Amino acid sequence: MRVIDSHTAGEPTRVVIEGGPDLGTGSLKERAARLEADHLDFCASVVLEPRGHDAIVGALLLPPSRDDCAASVIFFNNLQNLGMCGHASIGLGATLAYLDRIGPGRHKIETPVGVVEIQLHDANTVSVTNVESYRYLKDVTVEVEGHGAFTGDVAWGGNWFFLVKDSPVELIPANIGPLTNLTRKIRAALDTKGITGADGAWIDHIELFGPPKDRASDSRNFVLCPGGAYDRSPCGTGCSAKLACLAEDGILEPDREWVQESVIGSTYTISYQWGENGAVVPTVTGQAFVTSDANLIFDVSDPYRLGIRS
Ligand code: PYC
C-alpha cells in the first residue's frame, strides 16, 4: 500500500494512494459509509501504531466520480470517518502537487459532505474553501465535574464542534495533558446531557480559545479530535466553525482575515463569505510539507498488522 505522509501546520496526514479497500460503487457518501462499516481494520492499521500514531488523519484517495473534480477523498481516523478535514485537505493539496497531479490554481475535491475547493499557491501553500458552516446552538452550558460550568456554542464546520471562548487553562504546549483531560470531560458532559449537533450527531470535537501569543494573530486554540488526540494545527474545520460564530456574532466581516494560532503556535489565515443558504463559506490557508513517500507492509504473521488498539 503506497502512502504519502505530510504535516499541515504540524498536524499529520497520511494519503493512501494505492492499495486501499474496494468500496464498490455508489455515491461517495455511500462508499464512505462502507469504509466505516466494513473496513475499520484497514483504517486502524494505516493510522495507528506500529505504523502511525493516534494523531494521524488518513485520506483515502479515489478517482473522481464527477467530471469537475480533480479527486475524491474519504478522511478517516482511528475511530471513524471524518466528514471533512481542513488540515488533511491542505496536506492533500501538497501531496497532489508532489505527485505532479495538480499544478498551481483551483481544483475541486469531492468529500462525503460535499465538494470543496483547494487552491494551490505554491508547492506548500494551499487554501481550502470549505463546505458551508453554521452555528447550530448558542450559549449552551454544561457542568463539568471538578471544573465547574462551561458555556459554548455548537457549530458545524464539516465536523461538529463545541466552542468555548475563554479557556481556564493557558493554551501552551506544557498544558497539553491537562487540556486533553479537560476537553475529554467537556465532551463527556455534553454526551451525558444529550447535547448533539443536528439530527442527533455526536459533537466529537471540542475547541477552547484564548488570547494569541503572537501579536500578528487574533486568537489561539486547543482542539480535541474524536480519537482523543489534540490537533497540532489550528484545525481547518474548527476554524470554519469559529468563522460561523464570529460572523453570526457580527465580530468579523466577510473577506476580513483572521489569524488563528494552534496550541503549538502554528497558524492558519482564515476568512469567509456568506453562502447561498445563509451560512458562511470559509476559506482556510495554511502550509503543508510532504515528509515521506512509503509502502506499508502487512505481514500476515505480524500480530499487530491491524494496529495496536487501546
Ligand atoms: O483540520 O479539520 C481539520 C481537522 C479535523 C481533525 C483534525 N484536523
Side-chain angles (χ1 to χ4, degrees):
M1 183 186 299
R2 184 175 175 205
V3 299
I4 312 278
D5 288 349
S6 61
H7 76 83
T8 307
E11 180 74 351
T13 304
R14 175 163 285 172
V15 181
V16 179
I17 305 295
E18 287 162 8
D22 179 1
L23 299 176
T25 53
S27 69
L28 189 61
K29 206 171 172 183
E30 286 163 348
R31 285 179 284 155
R34 236 168 268 146
L35 178 71
E36 194 169 79
D38 304 335
H39 300 283
L40 266 190
D41 278 350
F42 155 81
C43 298
S45 67
V46 169
V47 298
L48 283 185
E49 293 178 36
R51 293 183 193 82
H53 54 87
D54 63 0
I56 293 185
V57 170
L60 178 60
L61 189 63
L62 298 167
S65 59
R66 294 167 46 128
D67 289 345
D68 60 343
C69 288
S72 297
V73 66
I74 303 171
F75 299 112
F76 58 91
N77 62 18
N78 50 331
L79 272 191
Q80 59 186 74
N81 291 346
L82 288 167
M84 227 310 268
C85 184
H87 91 267
S89 300
I90 295 172
L92 178 63
T95 297
L96 293 174
Y98 164 81
L99 292 169
D100 266 337
R101 293 196 190 173
I102 60 168
R106 296 175 186 272
H107 308 275
K108 286 190 169 31
I109 306 287
E110 189 185 9
T111 78
V113 295
V115 173
V116 302
E117 188 180 81
I118 56 174
Q119 183 178 5
L120 185 70
H121 301 281
D122 59 46
N124 303 107
T125 313
V126 178
S127 296
V128 182
T129 299
N130 196 2
V131 294
E132 284 197 28
S133 302
Y134 62 96
R135 179 161 60 195
Y136 178 62
L137 298 171
K138 183 174 163 59
D139 290 342
V140 174
T141 301
V142 283
E143 196 63 39
V144 180
E145 208 188 321
H147 297 273
F150 283 81
T151 299
D153 295 348
V154 176
W156 169 255
N159 293 300
W160 283 103
F161 287 82
F162 184 66
L163 302 94
V164 175
K165 272 190 196 127
D166 298 308
S167 173
V169 180
E170 192 181 1
L171 303 177
I172 51 172
N175 286 340
I176 283 166
L179 287 163
T180 302
N181 289 337
L182 172 61
T183 47
R184 283 182 181 206
K185 284 187 181 173
I186 295 175
R187 188 166 66 187
L190 290 167
D191 291 346
T192 305
K193 221 176 156 187
I195 296 164
T196 66
D199 301 323
W202 184 37
I203 301 170
D204 49 6
H205 292 74
I206 308 295
E207 195 167 3
L208 304 178
F209 293 90
K213 297 290 172 207
D214 188 326
R215 280 196 192 177
S217 302
D218 294 282
S219 166
R220 194 173 178 96
N221 70 9
F222 173 90
V223 181
L224 177 74
C225 297
Y230 74 95
D231 198 327
R232 280 73 172 155
S233 84
C235 191
T237 50
C239 283
S240 302
K242 174 73 174 172
L243 282 169
C245 298
L246 290 170
E248 289 178 33
D249 285 334
I251 293 174
L252 190 71
E253 287 168 12
D255 292 324
R256 288 285 296 272
E257 288 186 345
W258 177 277
V259 179
Q260 185 64 54
E261 271 174 16
S262 72
V263 68
I264 67 164
S266 59
T267 58
Y268 288 155
T269 301
I270 62 178
S271 62
Y272 74 92
Q273 291 185 338
W274 287 109
E276 288 168 4
N277 304 312
V280 308
V281 179
T283 297
V284 177
T285 302
Q287 283 209 306
F289 295 86
V290 169
T291 53
S292 81
D293 180 343
N295 282 307
L296 303 186
I297 294 168
F298 298 83
D299 182 334
V300 285
S301 64
D302 175 357
Y304 296 112
R305 69 184 177 285
L306 299 180
I308 301 173
R309 329 262 177 113
S310 48

